[in-house]
Amino acid sequence: SMLVAAMAHRHVPVGEPIDLLNVAFGEYPAQTPDRVGSVQGLAELRRIAPDRQWNLIEIDLTAAQAEAATLHVAQLIAPCHTVMDINIGTVLWAA
């Protein structure tokens, strides 16, 4: 997704901000590898494009919220065959 953000930077006027959405599940979302990577990626984007306003929007779901969405998400993304399908579908649903 950081590659997509860097490509968007080349096509979106510099005066317009770019929002980066990060969805994390669990008790400590700030400590998930994906969240840590998004913070590091944001720093890199700011380094290579300092004139751009980059907004990292952190979306936190508890494990209970993610679990509650599982059936609904599975119906939306059918045919759903793997845990990864559910995880990616839940992230897109939450974002």
Side-chain angles (χ1 to χ4, degrees):
S1 59
M2 290 299 155
L3 179 61
V4 173
M7 291 171 53
H9 169 66
R10 293 180 175 261
H11 299 284
V12 174
V14 175
E16 294 184 32
I18 295 179
D19 294 339
L20 309 169
L21 305 178
N22 177 268
V23 179
F25 308 136
E27 191 174 344
Y28 304 104
Q31 297 174 6
T32 62
D34 190 55
R35 178 64 56 81
V36 171
S38 70
V39 171
Q40 292 170 345
L42 175 63
E44 182 66 13
L45 289 168
R46 286 181 173 160
R47 187 187 67 74
I48 65 170
D51 295 334
R52 167 78 60 196
Q53 178 182 340
W54 299 98
N55 301 315
L56 178 59
I57 300 169
E58 298 175 346
I59 302 166
D60 298 337
L61 291 180
T62 65
Q65 289 170 317
E67 181 67 30
T70 298
L71 179 60
H72 179 66
V73 169
Q75 292 170 343
L76 294 173
I77 63 172
C80 154
H81 299 302
T82 67
V83 172
M84 185 60 75
D85 292 338
I86 289 291
N87 288 344
I88 293 170
T90 302
V91 165
L92 293 172
W93 174 81

